[in-house]
Amino acid sequence: MRLSRYFMPTLKDNPSEAEIVSHRLMLRAGMVRQSSAGIYSWLPLGYKVMRKIEQIVREEQDAAGCQEMLMPTIQPADLWRESGRYDDYGQEMLRITDRRERDMLYGPTNEEQITQIFRDSVRSYRELPKLLYHIQWKFRDEVRPRFGVMRGREFLMKDSYSFDVDKDGARRSYNKMFVAYLRTFARMGLQAIPMQADTGPIGGDMSHEFIILADTGESEVYCHPDLLTFDSFNADVDFEGDLQPIVDKWTSLYAAADEKHDPGNCPVPADQLITRRGIEVGHIFYFGDKYSKPMDAKVTMADGSEVFVEMGSYGIGVSRLVGGIIEASHDENGIVWPASVSPYDVGLINLKAGDDACASACDGFFSQMKAAGLDVLYDDTDERAGAKFANMDLIGLPWQLIAGPRGLKNGVVELKNRASGEREELSFESALSKLTA
Ligand code: ATP
Ligand code: MG
């Protein structure tokens, strides 16, 4: 992409409405624009990052045996009356009436919808287990939308739902999602820690929030110090095998979020306990027959008896992650994208666009880089060099390839690593082989 043609409305100054660094940087880099409180348009650069995140989530769900589908954003209120949540959900739910005076709503989540689909289509225990997911916009009329995309009203979520005949099966499904989440966040360069979370009336140990530590996080979290030394998990796994040892390892040390933590009953001595703030990027939750019973979702067993299916739901905040990753990875000059979610692989900077020889050399580099499979953002504008550097640092691509008339005369370009700040002079060919290694 040539920057001269790209729609990337960057801002020089810090927008006054942004309280935290990720929100500031997303506005400054031209990634998003606010439409109304907690509702954002995603501009090309921001949307590209969100799609990369979404794709990692998708690949890891697929690898775990979860099947993608797509449910609507607008749901009929009657479905929610069946589960009893239409009244319980309160003001967070956006309620809509259609032209025939039917009560509708913009879905804040999809348990009811998926339970209806399941009960209308599945009859026998032989069809279980089933794991289904979709990646869809949600709306929650949050009391206090803030921090940009981190607590929006409209936001993109991946939500999965599991259906099993009994609790052992439900645990296997839960474990699949637990391990899929470890792999998903590791691929994004995040150290997300699974923390015990509220299980509600069902009790037990099958509710975990995945939390990344950040001072600006909204959750207060408590954990054993050794948990912070765990390497993030990215090993290959057989999702049909026994995943319990992996889950056991990650739950062996104490870690709990706000509501779950009880200082009077904490196994870690107070002087060792780590207390930090964190961002919830995912939540996995087993809830038994909470929805299957009121909504009559059951299957027939081998002996002819009928059982309500055991369910769980598993969410990831896809749009929140865009901000979350920036909170975890930035410096005073801007964003520092982990390569896996970076909008482009490399930024090519032409230091002197007005110089014909330099411009044609850079055009050639651009073609060769594209031909080598790199996704390149090419700054071919006639801005000052200083502004180009600042801009490239702000948007945080992992590499910058910088070319100017002086270097080119000696047959060299400069390659800069955004994260370390290291620069080296080398031939274009060496730079290219480094970038494609
Ligand atoms: P929170 O405690 O942050 O309100 P929640 O418990 O309501 O989260 P879930 O219903 O479990 O969240 O939703 C799954 C995931 O969706 C969360 O882990 C989070 O990453 C994301 N999410 C929830 N609410 C928002 C929001 N208002 N804006 C952006 N992402 C959100
Ligand atoms: Mg919430």
Side-chain angles (χ1 to χ4, degrees):
M1 174 62 67
R2 283 173 181 272
L3 192 59
S4 58
R5 297 186 193 152
Y6 199 36
F7 181 59
M8 191 180 79
T10 53
L11 307 173
K12 277 207 187 61
D13 298 313
N14 279 326
S16 57
E17 71 267 30
E19 296 170 72
I20 62 172
V21 67
S22 59
H23 189 194
R24 254 191 324 267
L25 291 173
M26 286 180 74
L27 290 171
R28 284 194 49 205
M31 294 175 66
V32 289
R33 284 295 182 262
Q34 184 175 298
S35 166
S36 61
I39 304 182
Y40 289 86
S41 296
W42 292 79
L43 309 191
L45 190 76
Y47 189 46
K48 205 155 186 267
V49 174
M50 186 158 72
R51 272 168 41 216
K52 290 219 163 172
I53 292 172
E54 184 182 327
Q55 186 55 22
I56 292 176
V57 170
R58 175 176 291 122
E59 285 169 15
E60 295 301 326
Q61 289 293 301
D62 292 348
C66 202
Q67 299 172 45
E68 186 167 15
M69 58 187 288
L70 184 61
M71 289 179 271
T73 52
I74 307 287
Q75 304 177 27
D78 280 343
L79 256 186
W80 288 66
R81 293 195 174 102
E82 285 189 43
S83 71
R85 281 209 292 182
Y86 189 64
D87 294 323
D88 291 354
Y89 220 91
Q91 291 201 294
E92 253 190 42
M93 181 185 276
L94 180 65
R95 295 156 206 261
I96 306 164
T97 311
D98 71 11
R99 66 198 295 164
R100 296 198 166 77
E101 301 282 306
R102 272 189 293 248
D103 293 332
M104 311 292 283
L105 56 99
Y106 196 121
T109 175
N110 289 67
E111 280 82 5
E112 284 78 359
Q113 185 85 76
I114 194 81
T115 305
Q116 179 198 38
I117 293 168
F118 181 91
R119 81 167 170 214
D120 291 348
S121 336
V122 179
R123 296 273 168 267
S124 163
Y125 74 98
R126 276 190 234 97
E127 295 172 66
L128 298 186
K130 280 278 174 295
L131 263 168
L132 300 166
Y133 77 100
H134 74 161
I135 302 175
Q136 178 62 291
W137 292 93
K138 305 290 186 285
F139 193 94
R140 295 182 185 172
D141 206 350
E142 301 273 357
V143 200
R144 225 185 134 205
R146 56 179 184 159
F147 300 159
V149 300
M150 301 265 266
R151 181 162 301 280
R153 293 197 297 163
E154 188 182 64
F155 58 97
L156 189 61
M157 192 202 287
K158 183 288 297 178
D159 38 324
S160 317
Y161 302 91
S162 63
F163 301 88
D164 285 275
V165 289
D166 55 23
K167 192 160 179 192
D168 284 345
R171 185 175 288 279
R172 278 192 295 276
S173 295
Y174 186 88
N175 287 353
K176 283 183 187 174
M177 286 298 111
F178 189 107
V179 174
Y181 277 35
L182 290 176
R183 287 174 46 91
T184 301
F185 297 124
R187 277 185 65 186
M188 296 173 192
L190 294 172
Q191 173 72 299
I193 304 175
M195 307 215 172
Q196 295 170 33
D198 242 351
T199 50
I202 200 155
D205 59 353
M206 286 204 274
S207 174
H208 286 89
E209 288 174 355
F210 284 72
I211 292 189
I212 54 176
L213 300 180
D215 296 338
T216 49
E218 291 186 284
S219 316
E220 183 114 81
V221 299
Y222 307 85
C223 74
H224 190 287
D226 294 350
L227 204 48
L228 305 181
T229 67
F230 279 27
D231 285 333
S232 51
F233 181 89
N234 51 14
D236 280 335
V237 279
D238 169 12
F239 278 97
E240 293 311 315
D242 183 10
L243 301 173
Q244 197 60 49
I246 304 171
V247 174
D248 287 346
K249 180 189 168 208
W250 281 87
T251 52
S252 61
L253 294 173
Y254 183 77
D258 314 283
E259 318 97 44
K260 184 75 184 176
H261 177 69
D262 172 7
N265 206 354
C266 175
V268 185
D271 62 338
Q272 283 175 39
L273 186 69
I274 304 274
T275 305
R276 295 275 285 278
R277 300 200 69 81
I279 300 165
E280 180 193 324
V281 288
H283 187 184
I284 60 176
F285 192 14
Y286 159 75
F287 44 71
D289 60 9
K290 180 172 174 197
Y291 299 95
S292 57
K293 203 165 180 181
M295 295 187 69
D296 202 34
K298 51 191 182 211
V299 291
T300 307
M301 302 299 287
D303 64 3
S305 63
E306 291 189 313
V307 298
F308 292 115
V309 287
E310 295 278 319
M311 292 175 60
S313 75
Y314 315 89
I316 290 184
V318 174
S319 51
R320 176 179 288 183
L321 272 164
V322 180
I325 292 171
I326 297 175
E327 289 295 324
S329 186
H330 65 270
D331 62 18
E332 66 282 3
N333 298 320
I335 303 167
V336 183
W337 291 117
S340 59
V341 300
S342 179
Y344 291 90
D345 300 319
V346 50
L348 168 63
I349 300 180
N350 175 356
L351 285 179
K352 204 151 189 204
D355 177 317
D356 287 346
C358 189
S360 82
C362 286
D363 287 355
F365 296 159
F366 183 44
S367 307
Q368 287 185 62
M369 289 161 88
K370 283 195 293 184
L374 293 168
D375 197 6
V376 186
L377 183 62
Y378 172 21
D379 189 344
D380 59 341
T381 66
D382 46 22
E383 276 284 343
R384 295 175 297 111
K388 291 189 175 193
F389 292 141
N391 210 37
M392 220 32 115
D393 278 355
L394 171 67
I395 67 171
L397 312 180
W399 295 98
Q400 299 170 13
L401 195 138
I402 304 154
R406 210 176 315 146
L408 290 176
K409 218 174 283 165
N410 302 320
V412 293
V413 295
E414 196 172 23
L415 189 63
K416 175 177 163 180
N417 181 297
R418 174 65 181 87
S420 67
E422 270 168 60
R423 295 157 167 271
E424 85 179 289
E425 285 200 330
L426 69 189
S427 68
F428 170 73
E429 288 68 28
S430 315
L432 187 59
S433 62
K434 237 182 147 161
L435 290 169
T436 50

